[in-house]
Amino acid sequence: MIKFISVSLVASVLLLSCETKKESPQLVHTIEAFNEKVASAKPGDTIRLANGVWENAELLFEGQGSKENPIVLSVEEKGKVSLEGNSNLRIAGEHLVVEGLIFKNGYTPTNEVISFKKDKENLANNCRLTEVVIDRYNNPERHETETWVAIYGKHNRVDHNHLAGKNTKGVTMIVRLNSKESEENENQIDHNYFGHRPNLGSNGGETLRIGTSHYSMVNSKTQVVSNYFDRCNGEHEIISNKSNQNVYKYNTFFECTGTLTMRHGNETMVDGNVFIGNNKPSTGGIRVINGQQTVVNNYGVGLTGYRFRGAFVIMNGVPNSPLNRYFQVEDATVKNNTFINCDHVQLCAGSDAERSATPINSVVASNIFYNENKDDVFTVYDDISGITFENNLISPNIEPIAEGFTKRTLELEEDENGFLLPTDESIEMGAEISDEIATKENTGVSWYSKADWMVALSSGKTINVEPGLNTLVNAALESEAGDILVLSAGDYNNTKAISVTHPLTLKASGDSKPVLLFEKKSLFDIENGGALRLEGLKFNGENAPDDNGNTVISTSKYSMNQNYKLFVENCDFVNLDVNHSFDAIKVYKNTFADTVSIKNSRFENLTGNLMALDKETDDIGIYNVEYVILKNNVFKDIGGAALRLYRGGTDESTFGPFLEIEHSVFDNVGHDKRNKYDAAVSLYGVQEIDIKNNIFKDSKAINMHLVVGEPIVKVANNALSNSENLEVTGDQKYSVENQWQLAPDFVNTDTYQLKASSPLKSKATDGSDLGLKF
């Protein structure tokens, strides 16, 4: 009996001892309480933030846990605790775990939302960041540099986090190597969901970067494994490797416009990654620079990018390169990779007077390059004798670029994961896709939605609007994202500007065009988060104020950290001639459009420009719009330029702008003395130009200055009548075909239809008439 009681007492004492060693979770409701708990935290403690919004919470989580008993910062309930306003988190110490936080509805007042350091002397080691969400937590200033997650120290793990909607300059996640205490760090970044990152229109839009050029010869030894990159489109470099001995394995890149880029550093391993382009523009794969790089067992499908964002790219280097330029590719191993229906494999890319060091001592072997729809998949820019090609398979239509390629027809089928793969199991080359490959489902946070937050134009409800005073203004105020305002025929008088703060469509209810008049300096102001579609409307500027600088459509005058879209279809813009410098569309600095598209529309009597997309003049590679599309339009009696499109500087990190001008008529454009461009169309630094099947009558010239990026320039089948010739400057190649000096002979200038006897009949590249298509 005594022995039994003794054993029970011992057991009770042991249980009490264990409970004392590992305390129960501690719930805190204020920052002061949090700081107190952190100051007294011991190994095994868990501090939980209470449910709710923590406003302007700048947290320092510092402590010394142990491997067996880390100190944990968590939340009362996952998904119910958010840090908003001007909040951030610093982690410093050993064996700390952070989980369950959400950062949204604000931005950090510092440079980093989450930092693995207190200061430069106190870093985080053996710490973990998991199940944390950062959702559109952006500085309102578009080009104010900020990083969401900055990893310092060693042996840290960053896993199962959700990082989506970074719209501003700065890397989403970075591994810093700016001290000995962060070198050879063996950090692990795994199973994170990197959500949509829109095009920044500037350098500084990387999703992940390890190192910088200054520390690029440092060994980092970071592992990047099984992460999902979903439409990470900030710039050319989705991942920018800038240090030695890093591993990228089993990551998935879904519709990303850019590449996994070995920008600096050596001995990188790129193994078993998947790149899915779905034939979206500018989608890319892998870019090789520097020495001792290994690229094995990767799979790419439907990638359309070219030059630096091809499906597979080997660069030329700079002899005796400084740290911030391009080291020569040497000792590269490229084996057992598969590229299906990918458009461009680029070898010796970037070859020029500076980048003259061709790849050496490298092997490309046992790869599959298969695309039955494109013969010129390979582009060779320089000497490839330093690359040994062995046992590579190509589709029968592709011409080999060297020995070591075999033509063969493959049967392709989708596997259970939707990957298009050869059915012949005897093929011993190409990639094998691992079961550990990242998916949208096995990455990120299970309790936070990955659904798109972006609302498409014309996806909402229909609101009928009748003519009258400010009826349109009031309808727009009552609208919600994606709504469609349907306007009956008649006059709409607007004494207030319409602030467009969400995607909004205005369209005519029938064939008769409603007339929109306005008394402010602008009719539409596209604000942050806004997008605009206009269909079948007439804009009359006769009631605009007697002041210079009026416009129909304007962006915000302030920085916009969200990209906008503008679509104009079958609209008329008339009488934009009250005082001088009356534009149709006006943009401001630090704003960026994914697309400005104008089709089947007419612009007549403008004292200013149709649109001057040229407000980024610092010449550092920033610009105002990605795609400009002008098709089947009339531009008549425009004092300024129909278009001014500008991208200055020599930075090569961005894609655009892209321009299409097709089947349009320019009649008396560009002659106003205030037209500082002295051109009907003025282009500077535009990366893709396609101008065809247009008529220029009594108009100024097209001026083009071609600079960095090997721009693709095609000017074909345009007629000039009493108009100036095309003017091209710069040192880049371009193509001009069939620039005719011919009078159009219109039936009349109301319709601009050609007479049957016109020499411009059937002269278009598509066999139709030049000018408008009816």
Side-chain angles (χ1 to χ4, degrees):
M1 188 69 166
I2 295 173
K3 189 180 290 185
F4 175 78
I5 291 173
S6 174
V7 171
S8 297
L9 286 170
V10 170
S12 298
V13 170
L14 287 171
L15 181 61
L16 181 61
S17 173
C18 290
E19 289 178 347
T20 302
K21 182 179 180 181
K22 190 167 185 177
E23 296 184 5
S24 59
Q26 304 174 60
L27 191 66
V28 295
H29 294 81
T30 66
I31 294 175
E32 292 75 19
F34 168 80
N35 290 336
E36 289 177 8
K37 294 297 183 184
V38 169
S40 61
K42 300 181 296 296
D45 283 358
T46 297
I47 303 168
R48 296 190 188 276
L49 303 185
N51 288 351
V53 175
W54 290 66
E55 192 81 19
N56 302 329
E58 296 192 74
L59 305 181
L60 171 60
F61 182 42
E62 184 177 21
Q64 298 293 323
S66 67
K67 182 177 182 180
E68 295 76 17
N69 292 290
I71 303 172
V72 178
L73 169 58
S74 189
V75 294
E76 183 177 0
E77 292 180 87
K78 290 177 180 176
K80 296 186 178 180
V81 176
S82 61
L83 284 76
E84 303 185 13
N86 299 138
S87 298
N88 52 50
L89 170 67
R90 289 174 292 156
I91 307 167
E94 298 274 348
H95 296 290
L96 308 177
V97 176
V98 177
E99 64 178 18
L101 306 180
I102 301 171
F103 290 86
K104 65 179 184 179
N105 298 330
Y107 64 98
T108 179
T110 63
N111 292 330
E112 298 162 349
V113 179
I114 298 175
S115 178
F116 278 62
K117 70 178 176 70
K118 175 184 177 181
D119 49 44
K120 64 180 181 179
E121 283 82 27
N122 295 277
L123 310 183
N125 298 291
N126 299 296
C127 294
R128 185 182 183 192
L129 182 75
T130 185
E131 290 192 88
V132 168
V133 174
I134 306 180
D135 184 1
R136 290 167 284 171
Y137 200 64
N138 294 307
N139 194 300
E141 290 296 327
R142 182 180 188 87
H143 294 294
E144 187 74 23
T145 301
E146 61 182 2
T147 296
W148 278 4
V149 179
I151 307 169
Y152 302 82
K154 297 183 179 182
H155 306 293
N156 297 303
R157 185 183 180 197
V158 179
D159 67 284
H160 293 90
N161 300 292
H162 177 117
L163 310 173
K166 180 131 182 16
N167 298 337
T168 54
K169 185 178 180 181
V171 186
T172 305
M173 181 183 291
I174 187 169
V175 178
R176 298 280 191 188
L177 303 172
N178 54 353
S179 70
K180 287 288 185 183
E181 291 74 22
S182 294
E183 295 177 6
E184 299 200 350
N185 53 69
E186 296 185 339
N187 291 323
Q188 181 160 319
I189 300 167
D190 67 278
H191 293 91
N192 299 287
Y193 173 74
F194 294 94
H196 179 47
R197 176 161 192 175
N199 185 357
L200 182 62
S202 164
N203 189 13
E206 304 99 322
T207 296
L208 173 64
R209 189 174 79 217
I210 301 178
T212 61
S213 59
H214 185 75
Y215 297 98
S216 58
M217 291 296 107
V218 169
N219 296 337
S220 183
K221 296 187 176 181
T222 299
Q223 303 265 334
V224 180
V225 181
S226 298
N227 300 281
Y228 194 88
F229 296 84
D230 185 359
R231 295 161 298 155
C232 295
N233 303 336
E235 59 146 278
H236 274 232
E237 298 174 17
I238 307 160
I239 291 179
S240 184
N241 183 85
K242 293 188 174 182
S243 52
N244 295 334
Q245 298 182 358
N246 298 311
V247 174
Y248 302 93
K249 199 167 187 176
Y250 308 144
N251 303 288
T252 296
F253 299 81
F254 180 79
E255 295 182 3
C256 293
T257 56
T259 62
L260 191 169
T261 302
M262 286 159 265
R263 183 63 185 87
H264 300 302
N266 305 316
E267 300 178 70
T268 313
M269 171 64 75
V270 179
D271 179 8
N273 303 283
V274 167
F275 301 82
I276 303 168
N278 287 331
N279 298 311
K280 296 296 178 68
S282 300
T283 46
I286 299 166
R287 182 156 62 116
V288 179
I289 313 165
N290 311 295
Q292 298 80 51
Q293 313 289 34
T294 302
V295 179
V296 294
N297 203 39
N298 299 283
Y299 173 85
V301 62
L303 305 171
T304 65
Y306 70 95
R307 200 172 178 260
F308 290 2
R309 55 190 180 276
F312 179 72
V313 182
I314 295 179
M315 293 281 294
N316 259 22
V318 176
N320 303 310
S321 177
L323 285 176
N324 67 337
R325 292 304 289 156
Y326 292 82
F327 279 74
Q328 184 177 27
V329 174
E330 58 179 320
D331 306 320
T333 300
V334 181
K335 290 186 176 181
N336 291 109
N337 302 285
T338 297
F339 297 96
I340 303 293
N341 296 333
C342 296
D343 288 352
H344 295 284
V345 174
Q346 312 271 277
L347 303 177
C348 304
S351 174
D352 57 21
E354 181 200 22
R355 288 181 293 231
S356 60
T358 58
I360 58 173
N361 301 327
S362 297
V363 176
V364 175
S366 300
N367 303 286
I368 297 175
F369 302 98
Y370 201 86
N371 189 339
E372 292 183 342
N373 300 313
K374 196 171 192 298
D375 300 343
D376 55 344
V377 169
F378 291 94
T379 305
V380 178
Y381 295 91
D382 209 327
D383 179 15
I384 56 172
S385 62
I387 305 174
T388 300
F389 298 93
E390 298 175 347
N391 193 36
N392 297 288
L393 187 152
I394 55 177
S395 48
N397 55 302
I398 298 175
E399 286 303 315
I401 54 172
E403 296 293 325
F405 289 88
T406 301
K407 295 185 177 186
R408 180 170 174 180
T409 300
L410 298 178
E411 293 293 330
L412 302 173
E413 286 185 2
E414 289 188 358
D415 68 2
E416 63 275 11
N417 297 312
F419 299 125
L420 198 62
L421 295 169
T423 58
D424 189 343
E425 296 181 359
S426 68
I427 296 175
E428 297 181 353
M429 59 187 69
E432 291 186 11
I433 297 173
S434 170
D435 292 337
E436 297 181 50
I437 196 69
T439 67
K440 206 169 183 178
E441 292 71 33
N442 68 15
T443 55
V445 174
S446 61
W447 43 265
Y448 200 87
S449 173
K450 296 183 180 74
D452 276 346
W453 64 86
M454 297 172 291
V455 178
L457 283 161
S458 306
S459 62
K461 65 181 180 295
T462 297
I463 300 173
N464 294 314
V465 187
E466 296 298 322
L469 180 64
N470 290 329
T471 56
L472 182 57
V473 174
N474 296 331
L477 285 171
E478 295 173 4
S479 69
E480 298 176 338
D483 282 354
I484 307 164
L485 306 186
V486 179
L487 281 61
S488 300
D491 289 354
Y492 292 77
N493 296 287
N494 301 278
T495 63
K496 306 173 185 178
I498 297 171
S499 182
V500 181
T501 58
H502 51 248
L504 184 64
T505 297
L506 283 71
K507 62 185 298 185
S509 61
D511 294 335
S512 181
K513 291 179 178 174
V515 179
L516 281 63
L517 301 107
F518 55 102
E519 298 179 12
K520 298 287 288 183
K521 285 186 70 65
S522 60
L523 174 57
F524 296 106
D525 293 335
I526 301 177
E527 304 291 349
N528 206 32
L532 187 61
R533 182 188 297 275
L534 305 170
E535 300 179 13
L537 308 173
K538 184 174 183 178
F539 300 91
N540 191 330
E542 64 185 19
N543 291 347
D546 188 8
D547 194 4
N548 63 73
N550 295 321
T551 186
V552 180
I553 302 165
S554 174
T555 67
S556 172
K557 299 178 178 64
Y558 308 103
S559 179
M560 294 171 63
N561 65 19
Q562 297 182 54
N563 299 353
Y564 69 95
K565 296 180 175 69
L566 174 61
F567 296 93
V568 179
E569 174 75 32
N570 187 29
C571 290
D572 295 340
F573 292 71
V574 299
N575 300 326
L576 307 186
D577 55 0
V578 177
N579 217 309
H580 67 81
S581 307
F582 199 145
D583 295 346
I585 299 165
K586 182 174 292 186
V587 306
Y588 286 85
K589 188 176 175 62
N590 295 330
T591 66
F592 187 80
D594 287 324
T595 303
V596 174
S597 173
I598 301 174
K599 298 180 180 179
N600 305 308
S601 296
R602 186 182 183 105
F603 297 80
E604 188 169 352
N605 295 331
L606 279 72
T607 57
N609 306 298
L610 168 59
M611 53 183 173
L613 309 174
D614 63 345
K615 300 307 180 286
E616 303 292 355
T617 56
D618 295 330
D619 290 350
I620 53 175
I622 303 175
Y623 50 105
N624 282 119
V625 60
E626 189 72 2
Y627 290 95
V628 178
I629 302 168
L630 303 176
K631 293 187 177 181
N632 216 47
N633 302 300
V634 170
F635 308 110
K636 181 180 181 182
D637 297 334
I638 297 177
L643 173 66
R644 165 68 166 172
L645 185 55
Y646 188 93
R647 177 196 184 276
T650 58
D651 183 80
E652 296 178 292
S653 300
T654 50
F655 310 101
F658 299 81
L659 171 65
E660 297 179 53
I661 303 178
E662 180 179 343
H663 280 291
S664 293
V665 174
F666 297 76
D667 185 359
N668 189 31
V669 176
H671 291 290
D672 191 279
K673 63 182 181 181
R674 293 185 176 87
N675 180 8
K676 62 180 181 179
Y677 316 119
D678 196 33
V681 175
S682 175
L683 310 175
Y684 190 106
V686 181
Q687 293 296 288
E688 283 201 26
I689 300 171
D690 189 4
I691 301 176
K692 61 188 178 187
N693 307 328
N694 304 287
I695 299 173
F696 292 81
K697 175 180 175 290
D698 303 327
S699 293
K700 283 287 190 173
I702 301 174
N703 290 345
M704 296 191 298
H705 183 68
L706 306 179
V707 289
V708 68
E710 298 173 13
I712 298 175
V713 180
K714 298 177 182 178
V715 180
N717 294 35
N718 297 286
L720 309 178
S721 175
N722 193 33
S723 296
E724 296 178 356
N725 288 326
L726 172 71
E727 296 180 9
V728 182
T729 56
D731 56 358
Q732 303 291 327
K733 297 178 181 178
Y734 62 95
S735 169
V736 177
E737 297 180 3
N738 300 329
Q739 184 173 270
W740 294 299
Q741 293 284 348
L742 294 171
D745 199 10
F746 296 117
V747 173
N748 57 61
T749 54
D750 291 329
T751 65
Y752 286 99
Q753 188 168 358
L754 296 175
K755 291 180 180 179
S757 58
S758 170
L760 306 185
K761 297 286 287 184
S762 305
K763 288 280 191 179
T765 56
D766 57 7
S768 64
D769 297 345
L770 293 193
L772 300 182
K773 298 185 78 169
F774 292 91

